[in-house]
Amino acid sequence: MESVSRLVLKSTTGKDASILTSLPQLYIDKSSPTISGYTDSPVSVHYHSDKRPFDSAKTPPYDDCGTITRKSSSENFDSLKVEAELRVRKLDKIRLAAGSYAYFVCGWGDGVTGTVLPYFDADYHLSYTLSSIVFVAATVGFFIGTFLLESVIKYLGKFDVSKSKARRVPMLPSFLSRVLGAGKRKELGFSEAQALHFSLVWSAFMLSLFFVIVGLKGGAPTLFFAYSVAAFARAFLTGQLNAFATSRPGSPIAQLHGFWGIGACISPIVCQTLVAKGVPWPNFYLGSIVVGVLNVIFLGTVFRVTGPELERDKRAALLRASLSSVSDEKRVLDCEASVPSPTPRHSDQGPDNVLASALKNPLIWAYALFLCLYSGLETTTQGYMVIYLLSTKDANTKTAGYTTSAFWAGMAITRIFSSIYFRRLDMHRIKTILHGLMFTAIAVHLAIWFTPSVITNMACTGVIGLLYGPLFPIVCLLSTKFLPSKFHMIAMGLMSSFASLGSSLFPFMTGAISNAESPRVLPYILVGLTGGLAFFWTFFPSRVRGTVQMI
């Protein structure tokens, strides 16, 4: 060994000799074919800016492509990856809790309408027809919000990709930027996380504004305006939170609707208790401002854009920009093969063709009409049952408002239960169960019609809530099983719009008929609508392959 070293040193001079003498001593273990100081895994050498090598003990062992080259470091990376996934799951749970509270606030403002509607009529001198305009105003607000949702979301999601921090306020509109001379041209992108944050905070603020307007008791026109504002806000809030829930494991959308029912159950109890003690009904809405402000705080805090989300959206924005500037189709395909696309692509049809094909699908319209009937039935039941009991069954004004709470309590129970029980049932069994719920609801409506007892009528109203609870979320679920995935977004928007239309059309018709005849016509309308719903449900598909997963 020493002779070999002397020969090598004698054959080198100057700089080369100094390099060789600085090499570590090698010791060959004759009993084992290994050389100390070496490893069987590849090690990359990293250099400082002055070309000095890093200390290998402190340098992450990545190769030129960013791949980990040591087993121990790979294990550390895996542990960091698991830790990051746990943080994401924890944040998702917190955000789901905040979203559930947001649905609770929606139900809080929506469910109390049936309890305070008689006080609206008395204080604003409204007929049954005029009082039903609050449902029409809500539908108008919801339709406007639905049509503006996409364009507003695109605006709220604009951000400067050169910035290292998320925006705290939305960017100025382009025309204001030109007028004010907002400095140098910015490289803009779309941030999904930023759009979600701003839209939720904005819609929560508008819900709080609804409580302020109604609580100030400005008159019938301001009342109708307040209901349109609340529905406009709910269009944004529910649209964004539904998308958030369906993208999470388990898709807990039924849980969100369950919290809506909980809020709609508690608010009539609180309002009726306050009114029974002599507190003016507007004070309930003024006190509810606290509920709305907490919603703004919760959503604004937990849905803030995190660092990883901002980086993800930056990469997606830069990828879209690079793909749009590449003219060579092969380079585009190669890039998309190596980097996941931020948005789903349909190679066979463009957006316009998908919309046209969806609108020609008869099953989409069938589900939309079904939910139109159902939402009209649900809103008419909870909106006019208190008036019916007061005018025809001589109910006590201090306790009649609890009927609405019974209805929404039943809705909340079965909506939460349905997210567990219906998770693994096949389509045919689910359809049979829903059919049974509808026919049972007809029998309970007949019991309300022919039973004079107010207590029995209130209990039957709670049972109707139990029967109605699973219908809306389960029907939305089943529609996704029979429709192509590319139609889902369009179908959900159309179904929600028709549901909102039904929740205003049928209550308005009920108010007009009650004004011409009397509230005694309510059971006729409810039994007829429920029977039509059960008959219509007969013609829907009843077979689907596999099992059903909750959305």
Coordinates of all heavy atoms in Angstrom, one line a residue, residues 512-521:
A512 N -101.4 34.2 -1.5 CA -102.5 34.8 -2.3 C -103.8 34.1 -2.1 O -104.9 34.7 -1.9 CB -102.1 34.8 -3.7
I513 N -103.7 32.7 -2.1 CA -105.0 31.9 -1.9 C -105.5 32.1 -0.4 O -106.7 32.2 -0.2 CB -104.7 30.4 -2.1 CG1 -104.3 30.2 -3.6 CG2 -105.9 29.6 -1.8 CD1 -103.8 28.9 -3.9
S514 N -104.6 32.2 0.5 CA -105.1 32.4 1.9 C -105.7 33.8 2.1 O -106.6 33.9 2.9 CB -103.9 32.3 2.9 OG -103.3 31.0 2.8
N515 N -105.2 34.7 1.4 CA -105.7 36.1 1.4 C -107.1 36.1 0.8 O -108.0 36.8 1.3 CB -104.8 37.1 0.7 CG -105.2 38.5 1.0 OD1 -105.1 38.9 2.2 ND2 -105.5 39.3 0.0
A516 N -107.4 35.3 -0.2 CA -108.7 35.3 -0.9 C -109.7 34.4 -0.2 O -110.8 34.7 -0.1 CB -108.5 34.8 -2.3
E517 N -109.2 33.3 0.4 CA -110.1 32.4 1.1 C -109.8 32.5 2.6 O -110.5 33.3 3.3 CB -109.8 30.9 0.6 CG -110.0 30.7 -0.8 CD -111.5 30.9 -1.2 OE1 -112.4 30.7 -0.4 OE2 -111.7 31.2 -2.4
S518 N -108.9 31.7 3.1 CA -108.5 31.8 4.5 C -107.3 30.9 4.7 O -107.0 30.0 3.8 CB -109.6 31.4 5.5 OG -109.8 30.0 5.5
P519 N -106.5 31.0 5.8 CA -105.4 30.0 6.0 C -105.9 28.6 6.1 O -105.0 27.7 6.2 CB -104.8 30.5 7.3 CG -105.2 31.9 7.4 CD -106.5 32.0 6.8
R520 N -107.2 28.3 6.1 CA -107.6 26.9 6.2 C -107.2 26.1 5.0 O -107.3 24.9 5.0 CB -109.2 26.9 6.4 CG -109.7 27.5 7.7 CD -111.2 27.4 7.8 NE -111.7 28.0 9.0 CZ -111.8 27.3 10.2 NH1 -111.4 26.0 10.2 NH2 -112.2 27.9 11.2
V521 N -106.9 26.8 3.9 CA -106.5 26.1 2.7 C -105.1 25.5 2.7 O -104.7 24.7 1.8 CB -106.6 27.0 1.4 CG1 -108.0 27.6 1.3 CG2 -105.5 28.2 1.6

